[in-house]
Amino acid sequence: MKNFSLIAHLVGWLIVFSLTSLFLSENRSASEIFLRPNFWVFFLIYISLFYLNTGWLIPKLFFTKKYLFYFGIILCLLMGIAIVKPFDRLVFERNRPSQVDKPTPSFCEPPPPGERPQDFKELRREPPRDFEREPRQERNQIDVISIFLFGLIWALGMALKISERWRDSEQRAVRAEADKANAELSFLKAQINPHFLFNTLNNIYSLAVTNNKNTAVSIMKLSQIMRYVTDEVSEDFVPLQSEIECISNYIDLQKLRLSKKTEVIFEVSGNTDTKQISPLILMTFVENAFKHGISNHENAVIEIRIEVVANTIRFVCKNTLFATSRKIERTGIGLTNTRQRLTHLYKNRHSLVINEDSDFYFVELIIED
């Protein structure tokens, strides 16, 4: 892609060079045109203006909303072009009369033999009108072409950078959508798989055999999880309460297989009704906590807290760290995908801290609206 952009720039400038050379080629060879200093000065000025605008002024000033500073510099550059008049200098050099073709008459020589001195004085008082050159008068006028070319270069650079930024935004949106799809697929593979369904349905079967009153409730919770994963996560953002309900149902189903050695703490505080979040962002860390923080032989604690304060959502997930879980790389259902989604969807609006000490695996995620 970079090679294509470089070739496009080279072709564009070559076209501009060719058109200008064609305009100046009347009664002159190509070597005479390219050897003119003003020819190269003309192009260096506009090439420098183009890349100064696109490479520094627009990204560093315009896109950072420093509009006053940006347009002040553009105005100064425009005034400089109006003073230098690069196009006028180039054309004036082409139209300047040759010293060989029209020699300048000398009025300081003595009168030729046979002519009276008074005639020579009259000649000195009234020089030929042809000596007054029109180009000198034209150079005192405003160089409209140079100003027009400056505006054209500025508009072209602005259009290119805006379109480039728009393409980058589109690509980030596509990447975010792809990362979300990968997260959904990973979640389906890790959770809604035959092994998970077998364990959950087996626990529900045991409840049904013993006529446990929680049988119907467990079936409903499993159904809600599957509906959330397969339907609601197709949206970019969902109500925070929906994510919390999915986590709650998931914890309740996991408790069916947990022993008394595992303590689960799940707390939600603050007003969650008006908040939204990208689906499965929090579920990723919850799933990893249950995957690596449970032991049938040792006491374990899984602590999950969700706090909403003003415009901030704070999520904390902590689980006991065992010797065997320290040797396993924490990838879960897609921690890498989750990091990427946070970068794309909450750029400069989130903070993710993951710590691993001797006793606990700690995750803290803060998201700002």
Side-chain angles (χ1 to χ4, degrees), residues 28-95:
R28 295 190 184 267
S29 62
S31 60
E32 290 178 337
I33 296 173
F34 292 139
L35 288 177
R36 296 179 186 177
N38 284 343
F39 178 83
W40 296 104
V41 170
F42 172 80
F43 281 104
L44 286 176
I45 287 175
Y46 285 104
I47 290 175
S48 301
L49 288 174
F50 177 80
Y51 290 109
L52 175 65
N53 189 36
T54 58
W56 186 74
L57 293 179
I58 295 178
K60 301 297 183 181
L61 300 180
F62 187 82
F63 285 160
T64 56
K65 298 183 179 181
K66 299 177 182 178
Y67 302 122
L68 185 61
F69 195 22
Y70 172 78
F71 286 107
I73 293 178
I74 292 296
L75 182 60
C76 291
L77 292 175
L78 179 60
M79 293 174 62
I81 289 294
I83 294 173
V84 175
K85 302 180 180 179
F87 186 83
D88 181 70
R89 288 175 181 271
L90 184 61
V91 175
F92 173 73
E93 183 184 42
R94 187 195 71 170
N95 294 332

Coordinates of all heavy atoms in Angstrom, one line a residue, residues 28-95:
R28 N 11.3 26.9 -27.6 CA 12.4 26.5 -26.7 C 12.5 25.0 -26.6 O 11.5 24.3 -26.6 CB 12.2 27.2 -25.4 CG 12.2 28.7 -25.4 CD 12.3 29.3 -24.0 NE 12.2 30.7 -24.1 CZ 13.3 31.5 -24.1 NH1 14.5 30.9 -24.1 NH2 13.2 32.8 -24.1
S29 N 13.7 24.6 -26.4 CA 13.9 23.1 -26.3 C 13.7 22.7 -24.8 O 13.7 23.6 -23.9 CB 15.4 22.8 -26.7 OG 16.3 23.4 -25.9
A30 N 13.6 21.4 -24.6 CA 13.4 20.9 -23.2 C 14.6 21.2 -22.3 O 14.5 21.5 -21.1 CB 13.2 19.4 -23.3
S31 N 15.8 21.1 -22.9 CA 17.0 21.4 -22.1 C 17.0 22.9 -21.6 O 17.4 23.2 -20.5 CB 18.3 21.1 -22.9 OG 18.3 21.9 -24.1
E32 N 16.6 23.8 -22.5 CA 16.5 25.2 -22.0 C 15.5 25.4 -20.9 O 15.7 26.2 -20.0 CB 16.2 26.1 -23.2 CG 17.2 26.2 -24.3 CD 16.8 27.0 -25.5 OE1 15.6 27.1 -25.7 OE2 17.7 27.5 -26.2
I33 N 14.4 24.7 -21.0 CA 13.4 24.8 -19.9 C 13.9 24.3 -18.6 O 13.8 24.9 -17.6 CB 12.1 24.1 -20.4 CG1 11.5 24.8 -21.6 CG2 11.1 24.1 -19.2 CD1 10.3 24.0 -22.2
F34 N 14.5 23.1 -18.6 CA 14.9 22.5 -17.4 C 16.1 23.1 -16.8 O 16.4 22.9 -15.6 CB 15.2 21.0 -17.6 CG 14.0 20.2 -17.9 CD1 14.0 19.2 -18.9 CD2 12.8 20.4 -17.3 CE1 12.8 18.5 -19.2 CE2 11.6 19.7 -17.6 CZ 11.7 18.7 -18.6
L35 N 16.9 23.9 -17.5 CA 18.0 24.6 -17.0 C 17.7 25.9 -16.4 O 18.6 26.6 -15.8 CB 19.1 24.8 -18.1 CG 19.8 23.5 -18.6 CD1 20.7 23.8 -19.7 CD2 20.5 22.9 -17.4
R36 N 16.5 26.4 -16.5 CA 16.1 27.6 -15.9 C 16.0 27.5 -14.3 O 15.3 26.6 -13.9 CB 14.7 28.1 -16.4 CG 14.7 28.4 -17.9 CD 13.3 28.8 -18.3 NE 13.2 29.0 -19.7 CZ 12.1 29.3 -20.3 NH1 11.0 29.5 -19.6 NH2 12.0 29.5 -21.6
P37 N 16.6 28.3 -13.6 CA 16.5 28.3 -12.1 C 15.0 28.5 -11.6 O 14.6 27.8 -10.7 CB 17.4 29.4 -11.6 CG 18.4 29.6 -12.8 CD 17.6 29.3 -14.0
N38 N 14.3 29.4 -12.3 CA 13.0 29.7 -11.8 C 12.0 28.6 -12.0 O 11.0 28.4 -11.4 CB 12.4 31.0 -12.5 CG 13.0 32.2 -12.0 OD1 13.6 32.3 -10.9 ND2 12.9 33.3 -12.7
F39 N 12.3 27.7 -13.0 CA 11.5 26.5 -13.3 C 11.5 25.6 -12.1 O 10.5 25.1 -11.6 CB 12.0 25.8 -14.5 CG 11.3 24.6 -14.9 CD1 10.1 24.6 -15.6 CD2 11.7 23.3 -14.5 CE1 9.4 23.5 -15.9 CE2 11.0 22.2 -14.8 CZ 9.8 22.2 -15.5
W40 N 12.7 25.3 -11.5 CA 12.9 24.4 -10.4 C 12.4 25.1 -9.1 O 11.9 24.5 -8.2 CB 14.3 23.9 -10.3 CG 14.7 23.1 -11.4 CD1 15.5 23.5 -12.5 CD2 14.2 21.8 -11.7 NE1 15.6 22.5 -13.4 CE2 14.8 21.4 -13.0 CE3 13.4 20.9 -11.1 CZ2 14.6 20.2 -13.5 CZ3 13.2 19.6 -11.6 CH2 13.8 19.3 -12.8
V41 N 12.7 26.4 -9.0 CA 12.2 27.1 -7.8 C 10.7 27.1 -7.7 O 10.1 26.9 -6.6 CB 12.7 28.6 -7.8 CG1 12.0 29.4 -6.7 CG2 14.2 28.7 -7.7
F42 N 10.0 27.2 -8.9 CA 8.5 27.2 -8.9 C 8.0 25.8 -8.4 O 7.1 25.8 -7.5 CB 8.1 27.4 -10.4 CG 6.6 27.1 -10.6 CD1 5.7 28.1 -10.3 CD2 6.2 25.9 -11.1 CE1 4.4 27.9 -10.6 CE2 4.8 25.7 -11.4 CZ 3.9 26.7 -11.1
F43 N 8.6 24.7 -8.8 CA 8.1 23.4 -8.4 C 8.5 23.1 -6.9 O 7.8 22.5 -6.2 CB 8.6 22.3 -9.3 CG 7.8 22.2 -10.6 CD1 8.3 22.7 -11.7 CD2 6.6 21.7 -10.6 CE1 7.6 22.7 -12.9 CE2 5.8 21.6 -11.7 CZ 6.3 22.1 -12.9
L44 N 9.7 23.5 -6.5 CA 10.1 23.3 -5.1 C 9.2 24.0 -4.2 O 8.9 23.5 -3.1 CB 11.6 23.7 -5.0 CG 12.6 22.8 -5.6 CD1 14.0 23.4 -5.4 CD2 12.6 21.4 -4.9
I45 N 8.8 25.2 -4.5 CA 7.9 25.9 -3.6 C 6.6 25.2 -3.4 O 6.1 25.0 -2.3 CB 7.6 27.3 -4.2 CG1 8.9 28.2 -4.1 CG2 6.4 28.0 -3.5 CD1 8.7 29.6 -4.7
Y46 N 6.0 24.7 -4.5 CA 4.6 24.1 -4.4 C 4.7 22.7 -3.8 O 3.8 22.2 -3.1 CB 3.9 24.1 -5.7 CG 3.4 25.5 -6.0 CD1 4.0 26.3 -6.9 CD2 2.3 26.0 -5.3 CE1 3.5 27.6 -7.2 CE2 1.8 27.3 -5.6 CZ 2.4 28.1 -6.5 OH 2.0 29.3 -6.8
I47 N 5.8 22.0 -4.1 CA 6.0 20.6 -3.6 C 6.2 20.7 -2.1 O 5.6 20.0 -1.3 CB 7.2 19.9 -4.2 CG1 6.8 19.5 -5.7 CG2 7.6 18.7 -3.5 CD1 8.0 18.9 -6.5
S48 N 7.0 21.7 -1.6 CA 7.2 21.9 -0.2 C 6.0 22.3 0.5 O 5.7 21.8 1.6 CB 8.3 23.0 0.0 OG 9.5 22.7 -0.6
L49 N 5.2 23.2 -0.1 CA 3.9 23.6 0.5 C 3.0 22.4 0.7 O 2.3 22.2 1.7 CB 3.2 24.7 -0.3 CG 3.8 26.1 -0.3 CD1 3.2 27.0 -1.3 CD2 3.8 26.7 1.1
F50 N 2.9 21.5 -0.3 CA 2.0 20.4 -0.3 C 2.4 19.4 0.8 O 1.5 19.0 1.6 CB 2.1 19.6 -1.6 CG 1.2 18.4 -1.7 CD1 -0.2 18.5 -1.9 CD2 1.8 17.1 -1.5 CE1 -0.9 17.3 -1.9 CE2 1.0 16.0 -1.5 CZ -0.4 16.1 -1.7
Y51 N 3.6 19.1 0.9 CA 4.0 18.1 2.0 C 4.2 18.7 3.4 O 4.0 18.0 4.4 CB 5.4 17.4 1.6 CG 5.2 16.5 0.4 CD1 5.7 16.8 -0.9 CD2 4.4 15.3 0.5 CE1 5.5 16.0 -2.0 CE2 4.3 14.5 -0.6 CZ 4.8 14.8 -1.8 OH 4.6 14.0 -2.9
L52 N 4.4 20.0 3.4 CA 4.3 20.7 4.7 C 2.9 20.7 5.3 O 2.7 20.4 6.5 CB 4.8 22.1 4.6 CG 4.7 23.0 5.8 CD1 5.6 22.5 7.0 CD2 5.0 24.5 5.5
N53 N 1.9 20.9 4.4 CA 0.5 20.9 4.8 C 0.0 19.5 5.2 O -0.6 19.3 6.2 CB -0.3 21.5 3.7 CG -1.8 21.7 4.1 OD1 -2.0 22.1 5.2 ND2 -2.7 21.5 3.2
T54 N 0.3 18.5 4.3 CA -0.2 17.2 4.6 C 0.7 16.4 5.6 O 0.1 15.5 6.3 CB -0.1 16.4 3.2 OG1 1.2 16.3 2.7 CG2 -1.1 17.0 2.2
G55 N 1.9 16.7 5.7 CA 2.8 15.9 6.6 C 2.8 16.5 8.0 O 3.1 15.7 9.0
W56 N 2.6 17.8 8.2 CA 2.7 18.4 9.6 C 1.6 19.2 10.0 O 1.0 19.0 11.1 CB 4.0 19.2 9.7 CG 4.3 19.7 11.0 CD1 4.7 18.9 12.1 CD2 4.1 21.0 11.5 NE1 4.8 19.7 13.2 CE2 4.4 21.0 12.9 CE3 3.7 22.2 10.9 CZ2 4.4 22.1 13.7 CZ3 3.6 23.3 11.7 CH2 4.0 23.3 13.1
L57 N 1.2 20.2 9.1 CA 0.2 21.2 9.5 C -1.2 20.5 9.8 O -1.8 20.7 10.8 CB 0.0 22.2 8.5 CG 1.2 23.2 8.3 CD1 0.9 24.2 7.2 CD2 1.6 23.9 9.5
I58 N -1.7 19.7 8.9 CA -3.0 19.0 9.0 C -3.0 18.0 10.2 O -3.8 18.1 11.1 CB -3.5 18.4 7.7 CG1 -3.7 19.5 6.7 CG2 -4.7 17.6 7.9 CD1 -4.1 19.0 5.3
P59 N -2.0 17.1 10.2 CA -2.1 16.1 11.4 C -1.8 16.7 12.7 O -2.5 16.3 13.7 CB -0.9 15.1 11.0 CG -0.7 15.3 9.5 CD -1.0 16.7 9.3
K60 N -0.9 17.7 12.8 CA -0.5 18.2 14.1 C -1.3 19.4 14.6 O -1.4 19.6 15.8 CB 1.0 18.6 14.1 CG 2.0 17.5 13.7 CD 2.0 16.4 14.8 CE 3.0 15.4 14.4 NZ 3.0 14.3 15.4
L61 N -1.9 20.1 13.7 CA -2.7 21.3 14.1 C -4.2 21.1 13.8 O -5.0 21.3 14.6 CB -2.1 22.5 13.4 CG -0.7 22.9 13.6 CD1 -0.2 24.1 12.9 CD2 -0.4 23.0 15.1
F62 N -4.5 20.8 12.5 CA -5.9 20.8 12.1 C -6.7 19.6 12.8 O -7.8 19.8 13.4 CB -6.1 20.7 10.6 CG -7.5 20.8 10.1 CD1 -8.1 22.0 9.9 CD2 -8.2 19.7 9.8 CE1 -9.4 22.1 9.5 CE2 -9.5 19.8 9.4 CZ -10.1 21.0 9.2
F63 N -6.1 18.5 12.8 CA -6.7 17.3 13.4 C -6.7 17.3 14.9 O -7.5 16.6 15.5 CB -6.1 16.0 12.9 CG -6.5 15.6 11.5 CD1 -5.7 14.8 10.7 CD2 -7.6 16.2 10.9 CE1 -6.0 14.4 9.4 CE2 -7.9 15.9 9.6 CZ -7.2 15.0 8.8
T64 N -5.9 18.1 15.5 CA -5.9 18.3 16.9 C -6.7 19.5 17.4 O -6.6 20.0 18.5 CB -4.4 18.5 17.4 OG1 -3.8 19.5 16.8 CG2 -3.6 17.2 17.2
K65 N -7.5 20.1 16.4 CA -8.4 21.2 16.6 C -7.7 22.5 17.0 O -8.3 23.3 17.7 CB -9.4 20.8 17.7 CG -10.3 19.6 17.3 CD -11.3 19.2 18.4 CE -12.2 18.1 18.0 NZ -13.2 17.7 19.0
K66 N -6.5 22.7 16.6 CA -5.8 24.0 16.7 C -6.1 24.8 15.5 O -5.1 25.1 14.8 CB -4.3 23.7 17.0 CG -4.0 22.9 18.3 CD -2.6 22.7 18.4 CE -2.3 21.8 19.7 NZ -0.8 21.5 19.8
Y67 N -7.3 25.1 15.3 CA -7.7 25.7 14.0 C -7.1 27.1 13.8 O -6.7 27.5 12.7 CB -9.2 25.8 13.9 CG -9.9 24.5 14.0 CD1 -10.9 24.2 15.0 CD2 -9.6 23.4 13.1 CE1 -11.5 23.0 15.1 CE2 -10.2 22.2 13.2 CZ -11.2 22.0 14.2 OH -11.8 20.8 14.2
L68 N -7.1 27.9 14.9 CA -6.6 29.3 14.8 C -5.1 29.3 14.4 O -4.7 30.1 13.5 CB -6.8 30.0 16.1 CG -6.4 31.5 16.1 CD1 -7.3 32.3 15.1 CD2 -6.6 32.1 17.5
F69 N -4.3 28.5 15.0 CA -2.9 28.4 14.7 C -2.7 27.8 13.3 O -1.9 28.3 12.5 CB -2.2 27.4 15.7 CG -0.7 27.5 15.7 CD1 -0.1 28.6 15.3 CD2 0.0 26.5 16.2 CE1 1.3 28.7 15.3 CE2 1.4 26.5 16.2 CZ 2.0 27.7 15.7
Y70 N -3.5 26.9 12.9 CA -3.4 26.3 11.6 C -3.7 27.3 10.5 O -2.9 27.5 9.6 CB -4.3 25.1 11.4 CG -4.4 24.5 10.0 CD1 -3.4 23.7 9.5 CD2 -5.5 24.8 9.2 CE1 -3.4 23.2 8.2 CE2 -5.6 24.3 7.9 CZ -4.5 23.5 7.4 OH -4.6 23.1 6.1
F71 N -4.8 28.0 10.5 CA -5.2 28.9 9.5 C -4.3 30.2 9.6 O -4.1 30.8 8.5 CB -6.7 29.3 9.6 CG -7.6 28.2 9.1 CD1 -8.3 27.4 10.1 CD2 -7.7 27.9 7.8 CE1 -9.2 26.4 9.6 CE2 -8.5 26.9 7.4 CZ -9.3 26.1 8.3
G72 N -3.7 30.5 10.7 CA -2.8 31.6 10.8 C -1.5 31.3 10.0 O -1.0 32.1 9.2
I73 N -1.0 30.0 10.1 CA 0.1 29.7 9.3 C -0.2 29.6 7.8 O 0.6 30.1 7.0 CB 0.7 28.3 9.8 CG1 1.2 28.4 11.2 CG2 1.8 27.8 8.8 CD1 1.7 27.1 11.8
I74 N -1.4 29.1 7.5 CA -1.8 29.1 6.1 C -1.9 30.5 5.5 O -1.4 30.7 4.3 CB -3.1 28.3 5.9 CG1 -3.0 26.8 6.3 CG2 -3.7 28.5 4.5 CD1 -2.1 26.1 5.3
L75 N -2.4 31.4 6.2 CA -2.5 32.8 5.8 C -1.1 33.4 5.6 O -0.9 34.1 4.6 CB -3.3 33.6 6.8 CG -3.5 35.1 6.4 CD1 -4.3 35.2 5.1 CD2 -4.3 35.8 7.5
C76 N -0.2 33.1 6.5 CA 1.2 33.6 6.3 C 1.9 33.0 5.1 O 2.6 33.7 4.3 CB 2.0 33.3 7.5 SG 1.5 34.2 9.0
L77 N 1.6 31.7 4.8 CA 2.2 31.1 3.6 C 1.6 31.7 2.3 O 2.3 31.9 1.3 CB 1.9 29.6 3.6 CG 2.7 28.8 4.7 CD1 2.2 27.4 4.7 CD2 4.2 28.9 4.5
L78 N 0.3 32.0 2.4 CA -0.4 32.6 1.2 C 0.2 34.0 1.0 O 0.4 34.4 -0.2 CB -1.9 32.7 1.5 CG -2.7 33.4 0.4 CD1 -2.6 32.6 -0.9 CD2 -4.2 33.5 0.8
M79 N 0.5 34.8 2.0 CA 1.1 36.1 1.8 C 2.5 36.0 1.3 O 2.9 36.8 0.4 CB 1.1 36.8 3.2 CG -0.3 37.2 3.7 SD -0.2 37.9 5.4 CE 0.8 39.4 5.1
G80 N 3.2 35.0 1.7 CA 4.5 34.7 1.1 C 4.5 34.4 -0.4 O 5.3 34.9 -1.1
I81 N 3.5 33.6 -0.8 CA 3.3 33.3 -2.2 C 3.0 34.6 -3.0 O 3.5 34.8 -4.1 CB 2.2 32.2 -2.4 CG1 2.7 30.9 -1.9 CG2 1.8 32.1 -3.8 CD1 3.9 30.3 -2.7
A82 N 2.1 35.4 -2.4 CA 1.7 36.7 -3.1 C 2.9 37.6 -3.3 O 3.0 38.4 -4.2 CB 0.6 37.4 -2.3
I83 N 3.9 37.5 -2.3 CA 5.1 38.4 -2.4 C 6.1 37.8 -3.4 O 6.6 38.5 -4.3 CB 5.7 38.6 -1.0 CG1 4.7 39.4 -0.1 CG2 7.0 39.3 -1.2 CD1 5.2 39.5 1.3
V84 N 6.3 36.5 -3.3 CA 7.3 35.8 -4.2 C 6.9 35.8 -5.6 O 7.7 35.9 -6.5 CB 7.7 34.4 -3.6 CG1 8.6 33.7 -4.5 CG2 8.3 34.6 -2.2
K85 N 5.6 35.5 -5.9 CA 5.1 35.4 -7.2 C 5.8 34.4 -8.1 O 6.4 34.7 -9.1 CB 5.1 36.8 -7.9 CG 4.3 37.8 -7.2 CD 4.4 39.2 -7.9 CE 3.6 40.2 -7.2 NZ 3.7 41.5 -7.9
P86 N 5.8 33.1 -7.7 CA 6.6 32.1 -8.4 C 6.2 31.9 -9.9 O 7.0 31.8 -10.8 CB 6.4 30.8 -7.6 CG 5.2 31.1 -6.8 CD 5.1 32.5 -6.6
F87 N 4.9 31.9 -10.1 CA 4.4 31.8 -11.5 C 4.7 33.0 -12.4 O 5.1 32.9 -13.5 CB 2.9 31.5 -11.5 CG 2.4 31.1 -12.9 CD1 2.4 29.9 -13.4 CD2 1.8 32.1 -13.7 CE1 2.0 29.5 -14.6 CE2 1.3 31.8 -14.9 CZ 1.4 30.5 -15.4
D88 N 4.6 34.2 -11.8 CA 4.9 35.4 -12.5 C 6.4 35.5 -12.9 O 6.7 35.9 -14.0 CB 4.5 36.6 -11.7 CG 4.8 37.9 -12.4 OD1 4.0 38.2 -13.4 OD2 5.7 38.6 -12.0
R89 N 7.2 35.0 -12.0 CA 8.7 35.0 -12.3 C 9.0 34.0 -13.4 O 9.8 34.3 -14.2 CB 9.4 34.6 -11.0 CG 9.4 35.7 -9.9 CD 10.1 35.2 -8.7 NE 10.1 36.2 -7.7 CZ 11.1 37.1 -7.5 NH1 12.1 37.1 -8.4 NH2 11.1 38.0 -6.6
L90 N 8.3 32.9 -13.4 CA 8.6 31.9 -14.4 C 8.1 32.4 -15.8 O 8.9 32.3 -16.8 CB 7.8 30.6 -14.1 CG 8.0 29.4 -15.0 CD1 9.5 29.0 -15.0 CD2 7.2 28.2 -14.5
V91 N 7.0 33.0 -15.9 CA 6.4 33.5 -17.2 C 7.2 34.7 -17.6 O 7.5 34.9 -18.8 CB 4.9 33.8 -17.1 CG1 4.4 34.4 -18.3 CG2 4.2 32.5 -16.8
F92 N 7.6 35.6 -16.7 CA 8.3 36.8 -17.0 C 9.7 36.4 -17.6 O 10.2 37.1 -18.5 CB 8.5 37.7 -15.8 CG 9.4 38.8 -16.0 CD1 9.0 39.9 -16.8 CD2 10.7 38.9 -15.5 CE1 9.8 41.0 -17.0 CE2 11.5 39.9 -15.7 CZ 11.1 41.0 -16.5
E93 N 10.3 35.4 -17.1 CA 11.6 35.0 -17.6 C 11.4 34.5 -19.0 O 12.3 34.7 -19.9 CB 12.2 33.8 -16.7 CG 13.5 33.4 -17.2 CD 14.0 32.2 -16.3 OE1 13.2 31.3 -16.1 OE2 15.2 32.2 -16.0
R94 N 10.3 33.8 -19.3 CA 10.1 33.4 -20.7 C 9.9 34.5 -21.6 O 10.3 34.5 -22.8 CB 8.9 32.4 -20.7 CG 8.7 31.7 -22.1 CD 7.3 31.1 -22.1 NE 6.3 32.1 -22.3 CZ 5.0 31.9 -22.5 NH1 4.6 30.6 -22.7 NH2 4.1 32.8 -22.6
N95 N 9.1 35.5 -21.2 CA 8.8 36.6 -22.1 C 9.8 37.8 -22.1 O 9.6 38.7 -22.9 CB 7.4 37.2 -21.7 CG 6.3 36.2 -21.9 OD1 6.4 35.3 -22.8 ND2 5.2 36.3 -21.1

